[in-house]
Amino acid sequence: IKPATAVDVEFYERKIRPLLSAKCYECHARSAKRPEADLLLDTSAGIRRGGENGPLVDPQKPAGGLLLDVVRYDGDIQMPPDGK
């Protein structure tokens, strides 16, 4: 995996973290009583590891992967459950 650039970090902090914080951390963070699906999205290690449904991202295909499918409602798992 290539190291993140300043542009990568800025994009993550501006676009990705706010989505995860607003829509995902309630159920998928260290602060949750019992993280759903054994998935932690509030740490880079948790995102890399994935959860019960396997890895969330594919470093070889950054535009694909389970995380994007889930938030785009492109598969069997659709999150957040209250709407796209």
Side-chain angles (χ1 to χ4, degrees), residues 28 37 39 51-56 65-81:
H28 300 290
L39 176 61
E52 290 175 0
N53 293 300
L56 294 177
L66 182 58
L67 181 60
L68 289 177
D69 288 348
V70 167
V71 299
R72 288 178 177 154
Y73 278 50
D74 284 346
D76 294 335
I77 305 168
Q78 299 175 343
M79 291 286 158

Side-chain angles (χ1 to χ4, degrees), residues 29-74:
R30 292 170 292 178
S31 60
K33 289 182 181 181
R34 185 184 152 277
E36 297 288 328
D38 195 29
L39 176 61
L40 294 174
L41 296 174
D42 61 339
T43 68
S44 59
I47 292 171
R48 284 192 306 273
R49 182 180 60 82
E52 290 175 0
N53 293 300
L56 294 177
V57 294
D58 179 349
Q60 304 305 317
K61 298 176 186 173
L66 182 58
L67 181 60
L68 289 177
D69 288 348
V70 167
V71 299
R72 288 178 177 154
Y73 278 50
D74 284 346

Side-chain angles (χ1 to χ4, degrees), residues 2-3 6 13 15-16 25 31 35-37 45 56 60 62-65 72 75 82 84:
K2 71 176 182 102
E13 292 297 336
K15 296 285 189 176
I16 307 301
Y25 287 0
S31 60
E36 297 288 328
L56 294 177
Q60 304 305 317
R72 288 178 177 154
D82 62 349
K84 198 171 187 182

